[in-house]
Amino acid sequence: MTEATGIVGEFLSLKEETDADILAMQCGDFYEFFAEDAELVADELDLKVSQKGSHGSSYPMAGVPLDDLTPYLSALVERGYRVAVADQYETDDGHAREITRIVTPGTHLETSDDDAQYLAAVVREGGGDGGSGGSDDATYGIAVADVTTGQFLVTEQSGADATSAALTELYKFDPAEVLPGPEIRSDDDFLDEVRERTDASLSLHTTEAFAPGRARHRVREQFGGETLESVGIADAEAAVRAAGAVISYVDETGAGVLASMTRLQSFDESAYVDLDATTQRNLELTETMQGERSGSLFDTVDHTVTSAGGRLLREWLQRPRRSREELTRRQSAVAALAKAAMARDQLRETLGDAYDLERLASKAASGSADARDLRAVQETLALLPAVAELVAEAERLADSPLAEVLERPDRDAAAELAADLDEALVEDPPGTVTQGGLIRTGFDPELDEIVDDHEAALDWIETLPEREKRRTGITHLSVDRNKTDGYYIQVGKSETDQVPAEYEQIKTLKNSERYVIDELVEREREILRLEERRHEMERAIFERLRDRVAARAQLLQETGRALAECDALASLAAHAVRNDWTRPELSDGRELSVDQGRHPVVEQTTQFVPNDLSMDDERQFLIVTGPNMSGKSTYMRQAALITLLAQVGSFVPARSARVGLVDGIYTRVGALDELAQGRSTFMVEMQELSNILHSATEESLVILDEVGRGTATYDGISIAWAATEYLANRIQAKTLFATHYHELTALGEELPTVENVHVAADERDGDVTFLRTVEDGPTNRSYGVHVADLAGVPEPVVDRSRDVLDRLREEKAIEVRGSDVADGGGTEQVVFDLGSGELVSEESNSSQQVATDGSQMEVPATDSDGQSLDPETEAILDELGDIDVNETPPVELMAKVQNWQEQLEDSDADVS
Ligand code: ADP
């Protein structure tokens, strides 16, 4: 009872010490959770809850066996919890417990996911009052680290759009955990955005960790004194503060992986194509709009055979490059691999045996790598010469940039480390490092001696029954071992009278007796001693090996990276060959010419109709029209994806293509997903448009799929019109703009660089067939009515729509029909006036204006009973209708007209 009090009490006070969500405390062979934590964990992980009594009250308790903690930890961390682990250690008077590490979403090493797992810190400096929202003259410092691979990156964002640029950066990494600097408060708009756009856990880290001096010191300590200067961020205080905070957080959570963080990189944004968050989503780079992985571009082109290769390819797609040199290098490698089919297959087969070296480096650094992990390191390092040889021997590959990729890691050092590991470790080591069986004979003479003695002692025991049977003549005799009795000799009941005098009886069982003899006891003691010594020595040797591997983290990372690059390039080549892709010509001009292009994802599942695209200085801006569902979005996305793939260094789905390198790709596509998120559609649409108009340059590619649909027609047309002029004249970005506003096609005729194209459709006998080919000029008809017809909309409505459509097009009067259509009476002519945007009564032509908003179109004076006309006017109209002009003398006609005028003047006077 008192002990129970102690344990729960100890748990609760350790829990006080930490800001983690959950505490797992070691109690002997278990990790236990108590109180609220027990209930939470039981709930999340389906564990059984029991009750632990303490001080007369009872506490919920749940536990997991010591060796099983990792999967439970992973599950909790993947759900976003931060879990503190308290371990038990021996002291002079019993044992004590203390928190040894805190596992968090961003510092979790044993992730089951192949994707990168980023921990980010964000610091904001300046920017007005520093209150929530962060005005846009602020500077943001961002540091991002992947503890599972040792990757460490920093950047700074400042200027007019600092906030959105910082968010864009963060979103690209899709961090698992974000540490906001002390100046970014929890109600800050910035954090709201982070919460909305990512699944990151937001964790508070100490204010001191972000202090400039301290952070700078930590960065120097970690990466070396001159690093800040050589990376060029010595003066970037915000970035340095963020980096320092990440390092101290990783350190304090006790993941122990700092040793694998060997290289600080500053990511120079100007090296990459700007792809904002919306565009990444719209182009479905790594997941579809519905959030599925399958059906994304990555899913389609990924044929990598290693997890590191997959991770790299994904990174390439998310961060296309702008440097023609780098792209040409990748292209040449892909081209060589595409041609060398045999070598490519062999290469991929060989690479298939590679383990994830970057991840293994982190495991070694954190001390969590076991002997199997070190074997994996050895086997993978040993692949490097095999891969290099394959490349050197394949004629086409030998001179390709692939050979250079394999030159990067220090091959001698890799070979040396691999040989050392191979010499030390047994072929197929066990998964635990405490039970021996790790180290090869011949590696360490002292160990060998102990092993020999140990094995001799074991052998003595193994052969003891035979010897004793022979000596005593007893037939039912065996030697065994258990926890309580140690080694013993067991003799069947029927023969116990034959046991020699020196047999000392220790236990009686139903059918047998157990004995020991002095020699056996002695041997047992020897075995235990040797066993312990052997395990200790093996473990010590193993730990030295692991430290050596940890110290070579950079070598592992470089080798891993080189192998991953081979894998990613071979994957691009394999996809290109299978799908008949072509190497695009890269040019600096603003052209984008595609002959027989296809959409890389749609072509996988559809009989795709290839189409052409031609853009250059004279044809900078294409207005794409065509019926709904004809293929406008597909055509435009295809243009964006071909550009993107070209800037990844990949081949592209086309017969041939010339791609002018772009500095950014910006898209604004239908608002379906935004609607699902419950954001105001039109506002979001305008924010996206605003972002594009601010960010795009003459070197950018802009894709607009409908602009202005979220508002009333005339509003929409006006905004689309003005945006077109601005993009075409001012920004001069390469732009594809799909619109259902036929009015905009007029711009194609007026502005020199704006051209119309349309997706062709064929219409026969009232049926519409989509041809999917794109042709010059605007689409000439709207097929909406046909689709309505095909969908079974009642014939009178379809006929009437055609009629209205024709009249609208010709700006002709449309009579607005009353409820009593059949007798034809009481209708009035109104016309759709494009100039004023209003329906105007045709008779008075200006006096009677009618709202045009479809939802509330209301036309006075139209009822068949003529109620809205005053009776006097109606009488005049009747009279007018009755006159036969040919039969009436002119004087009489004049008199009548004069009379009517007087009557009308009177009635007007009445009204006013
Ligand atoms: P829109 O934007 O004009 O409404 P979409 O681009 O959404 O039309 O295309 C409509 C459908 O036609 C999609 O299912 C798409 O996969 C298919 N499609 C589009 N272009 C082609 C093509 N060139 N060949 C075959 N199918 C296509």
Side-chain angles (χ1 to χ4, degrees):
M1 188 72 181
T2 41
E3 220 239 334
T5 307
I7 282 200
V8 180
E10 195 177 342
F11 181 90
L12 295 173
S13 77
L14 278 173
K15 185 73 198 286
E16 288 276 288
E17 272 179 31
T18 169
D19 58 359
D21 307 308
I22 298 171
L23 172 66
M25 184 171 88
Q26 186 188 357
C27 301
D29 291 338
F30 280 83
Y31 279 104
E32 301 285 1
F33 307 90
F34 292 103
E36 285 168 3
D37 290 17
E39 276 167 346
L40 196 154
V41 171
D43 221 34
E44 291 281 0
L45 304 181
D46 243 358
L47 286 178
K48 254 179 66 186
V49 185
S50 53
Q51 293 294 323
K52 178 89 182 166
S54 173
H55 261 322
S57 36
S58 130
Y59 292 90
M61 168 174 118
V64 297
L66 216 54
D67 292 338
D68 290 350
L69 182 66
T70 306
Y72 287 103
L73 274 184
S74 300
L76 288 171
V77 167
E78 266 149 36
R79 286 168 170 76
Y81 294 107
R82 305 165 78 243
V83 189
V85 180
D87 286 309
Q88 183 175 317
Y89 60 96
E90 303 305 317
T91 60
D92 291 341
D93 43 348
H95 51 251
R97 298 182 178 92
E98 72 177 17
I99 292 178
T100 50
R101 58 194 170 123
I102 299 173
V103 186
T104 73
T107 60
H108 177 45
L109 271 177
E110 286 93 5
T111 170
S112 52
D113 200 338
D114 283 345
D115 297 342
Q117 170 195 283
Y118 290 110
L119 165 70
V122 186
V123 162
R124 181 169 60 219
E125 293 193 337
D129 58 5
S132 78
S135 60
D136 264 356
D137 46 1
T139 297
Y140 285 85
I142 301 178
V144 202
D146 180 353
V147 299
T148 71
T149 62
Q151 203 182 7
F152 201 111
L153 304 156
V154 285
T155 188
E156 240 182 42
Q157 300 291 340
S158 54
D161 296 316
T163 305
S164 77
L167 280 166
T168 295
E169 275 325 301
L170 211 54
Y171 185 81
K172 272 183 207 163
F173 289 98
D174 194 14
E177 187 172 8
V178 174
L179 313 172
E183 59 286 330
I184 304 179
R185 296 195 296 250
S186 69
D187 62 347
D188 200 288
D189 291 350
F190 185 86
L191 291 190
D192 284 343
E193 288 282 336
V194 174
R195 283 189 199 99
E196 194 167 309
R197 287 187 178 191
T198 73
D199 296 326
S201 302
L202 298 176
S203 302
L204 285 181
H205 191 27
T206 57
T207 304
E208 305 87 77
F210 288 94
R214 183 144 158 183
R216 188 169 293 262
H217 178 69
R218 290 228 70 147
V219 176
R220 288 194 196 281
E221 213 175 44
Q222 178 69 27
F223 299 109
E226 300 304 313
T227 307
L228 292 176
E229 285 72 19
S230 63
V231 176
I233 57 159
D235 298 326
E237 182 164 288
V240 174
R241 286 177 57 207
V246 166
I247 295 168
S248 76
Y249 189 76
V250 171
D251 193 19
E252 279 164 34
T253 51
V257 289
L258 284 182
S260 74
M261 296 186 170
T262 53
R263 197 154 66 104
L264 178 71
Q265 286 173 279
S266 154
F267 46 95
D268 173 12
E269 278 316 306
S270 64
Y272 301 97
V273 175
D274 194 11
L275 280 183
D276 60 17
T278 316
T279 299
Q280 294 214 20
R281 226 177 22 232
N282 286 340
L283 294 181
E284 308 192 307
L285 294 190
T286 56
E287 49 181 52
T288 63
M289 297 278 229
Q290 290 75 38
E292 312 263 336
R293 245 180 128 112
S294 133
S296 66
L297 179 67
F298 174 65
D299 180 62
T300 304
V301 302
D302 176 30
H303 308 286
T304 55
V305 293
T306 64
S307 39
R311 209 163 49 229
L312 183 64
L313 181 58
R314 176 190 243 274
E315 189 184 306
W316 282 358
L317 293 184
Q318 286 172 317
R319 302 174 76 75
R321 303 288 298 245
R322 291 175 57 187
S323 142
R324 168 205 284 279
E325 200 187 328
E326 168 68 12
L327 293 174
T328 308
R329 199 184 63 78
R330 286 191 199 165
Q331 276 192 343
S332 312
V334 173
L337 282 160
K339 283 193 194 117
M342 280 259 285
R344 183 179 73 239
D345 287 345
Q346 283 170 352
L347 182 72
R348 296 178 69 221
E349 202 181 315
T350 311
L351 286 173
D353 294 331
Y355 295 93
D356 200 334
L357 279 182
E358 286 177 303
R359 289 251 162 120
L360 287 165
S362 288
K363 273 185 106 175
S366 71
S368 61
D370 60 25
R372 288 186 184 158
D373 291 327
L374 295 201
R375 255 288 158 208
V377 169
Q378 180 272 323
E379 284 169 17
T380 310
L381 288 177
L383 287 180
L384 187 59
V387 171
E389 196 178 328
L390 251 169
V391 169
E393 279 174 6
E395 200 184 320
R396 295 183 198 278
L397 303 186
D399 304 324
S400 77
L402 204 60
E404 287 159 37
V405 169
L406 291 163
E407 292 293 337
R408 268 183 242 146
D410 181 342
R411 275 198 233 168
D412 292 340
E416 197 184 321
L417 183 59
D420 289 355
L421 288 170
D422 191 35
E423 198 190 329
L425 294 168
V426 298
E427 206 70 51
D428 190 11
T432 149
V433 299
T434 52
Q435 302 298 308
L438 311 170
I439 306 299
R440 272 195 212 263
T441 7
F443 181 73
D444 183 301
E446 198 188 334
L447 174 66
D448 285 351
E449 213 170 289
I450 292 168
V451 170
D452 284 348
D453 293 350
H454 183 219
E455 254 138 45
L458 287 174
D459 193 50
W460 184 89
I461 299 238
E462 206 173 301
T463 52
L464 181 63
E466 279 315 306
R467 286 198 308 276
E468 287 299 290
K469 279 182 192 169
R470 229 180 297 128
R471 187 167 75 91
T472 61
I474 299 173
T475 51
H476 291 100
L477 183 147
S478 59
V479 173
D480 239 322
R481 180 192 203 184
N482 71 20
K483 260 200 176 136
T484 43
D485 301 332
Y487 284 104
Y488 53 81
I489 301 171
Q490 188 155 305
V491 177
K493 271 271 163 62
S494 57
E495 291 172 300
T496 48
D497 50 345
Q498 293 173 53
V499 303
E502 69 272 21
Y503 272 39
E504 187 192 324
Q505 195 197 6
I506 56 161
K507 209 174 224 167
T508 304
L509 301 168
K510 200 170 155 216
N511 297 316
S512 58
E513 298 280 348
R514 286 182 184 171
Y515 306 90
V516 289
I517 50 176
D518 286 350
E519 225 184 336
L520 182 60
V521 174
E522 234 165 74
R523 289 287 175 160
E524 176 172 5
R525 241 182 260 132
E526 193 190 352
I527 285 173
L528 286 177
R529 186 179 60 79
L530 289 168
E531 203 169 64
E532 200 183 314
R533 183 87 190 97
R534 175 180 178 176
H535 291 171
E536 247 168 39
M537 277 194 76
E538 288 207 43
R539 186 174 179 165
I541 295 172
F542 169 77
E543 278 172 0
R544 278 203 300 279
L545 277 179
R546 187 164 65 192
D547 290 347
R548 274 198 56 197
V549 172
R552 307 310 303 261
Q554 198 165 352
L555 172 69
L556 265 58
Q557 286 159 354
E558 280 164 10
T559 309
R561 187 91 183 173
L563 296 176
E565 205 166 324
C566 290
D567 192 10
L569 291 166
S571 169
L572 287 177
H575 191 81
V577 172
R578 277 180 219 175
N579 296 279
D580 204 14
W581 286 14
T582 184
R583 176 177 182 162
E585 239 178 277
L586 305 177
S587 74
D588 288 328
R590 276 188 298 166
E591 67 189 314
L592 177 58
S593 333
V594 181
D595 178 25
Q596 300 281 291
R598 283 116 50 202
H599 186 293
V601 178
V602 179
E603 74 164 336
Q604 297 292 321
T605 50
T606 313
Q607 193 49 268
F608 201 87
V609 180
N611 42 51
D612 300 339
L613 171 65
S614 156
M615 297 181 85
D616 53 33
D617 283 342
E618 269 78 57
R619 281 168 69 91
Q620 239 179 62
F621 192 117
L622 299 184
I623 295 175
V624 186
T625 46
N628 266 342
M629 290 300 287
S630 60
K632 298 183 296 296
S633 303
T634 309
Y635 182 67
M636 295 195 303
R637 282 175 201 228
Q638 175 186 321
L641 289 173
I642 286 177
T643 303
L644 183 133
L645 283 166
Q647 295 198 238
V648 162
S650 168
F651 282 21
V652 299
R655 187 192 289 160
S656 70
R658 279 175 64 82
V659 178
L661 296 179
V662 300
D663 62 359
I665 301 178
Y666 303 94
T667 64
R668 132 94 224 129
V669 182
L672 259 179
D673 57 325
E674 303 293 348
L675 263 182
Q677 282 176 22
R679 294 213 251 166
S680 140
T681 315
F682 183 61
M683 190 61 189
V684 169
E685 182 182 337
M686 287 302 110
Q687 281 169 348
E688 287 179 6
L689 180 65
S690 155
N691 181 38
I692 293 172
L693 298 180
H694 279 297
S695 314
T697 75
E698 61 177 343
E699 283 177 55
S700 308
L701 176 65
V702 175
I703 303 293
L704 300 172
D705 194 350
E706 298 288 3
V707 163
R709 283 202 100 160
T711 184
T713 311
Y714 282 97
D715 254 8
I717 295 183
S718 318
I719 296 169
W721 189 291
T724 302
E725 287 173 346
Y726 190 81
L727 273 162
N729 299 334
R730 186 84 78 87
I731 301 180
Q732 303 183 344
K734 261 190 288 198
T735 307
L736 287 136
F737 182 1
T739 180
H740 75 298
Y741 296 132
H742 203 263
E743 292 79 0
L744 288 192
T745 57
L747 287 170
E749 273 133 45
E750 292 308 319
L751 296 173
T753 59
V754 180
E755 299 296 333
N756 287 306
V757 298
H758 67 278
V759 190
D762 203 17
E763 182 212 341
R764 224 165 281 149
D765 307 329
D767 283 352
V768 182
T769 315
F770 296 140
L771 300 179
R772 316 271 186 219
T773 46
V774 177
E775 291 164 13
D776 276 350
T779 187
N780 51 5
R781 291 208 57 161
S782 160
Y783 289 85
V785 177
H786 289 277
V787 175
D789 193 8
L790 292 177
V793 170
E795 222 175 283
V797 177
V798 173
D799 288 347
R800 174 70 173 141
S801 315
R802 285 209 177 93
D803 185 30
V804 172
L805 184 63
D806 288 345
R807 284 165 180 275
L808 275 175
R809 286 232 168 87
E810 288 152 32
E811 291 185 39
K812 275 212 308 242
I814 311 168
E815 84 282 18
V816 179
R817 289 182 182 169
S819 60
D820 193 3
V821 179
D823 77 6
T827 61
E828 183 185 349
Q829 304 286 308
V830 290
V831 68
F832 180 66
D833 179 30
L834 279 172
S836 64
E838 279 156 349
L839 284 177
V840 193
S841 156
E842 199 169 40
E843 285 171 348
S844 57
N845 215 18
S846 66
S847 60
Q848 277 180 303
Q849 294 191 339
V850 184
T852 58
D853 185 336
S855 62
Q856 52 190 34
M857 190 154 78
E858 203 179 277
V859 182
T862 64
D863 282 345
S864 55
D865 61 6
Q867 236 175 32
S868 316
L869 289 177
D870 67 78
E872 241 133 347
T873 315
E874 250 198 315
I876 295 170
L877 287 173
D878 286 346
E879 253 187 277
L880 181 61
D882 288 339
I883 291 177
D884 184 350
V885 180
N886 294 324
E887 295 297 339
T888 314
V891 184
E892 202 177 318
L893 278 176
M894 281 173 69
K896 274 188 187 296
V897 171
Q898 197 172 8
N899 199 5
W900 289 335
Q901 280 179 335
E902 276 161 18
Q903 280 177 28
L904 282 173
E905 263 160 32
D906 285 346
S907 73
D908 267 357
D910 285 345
V911 173
S912 56

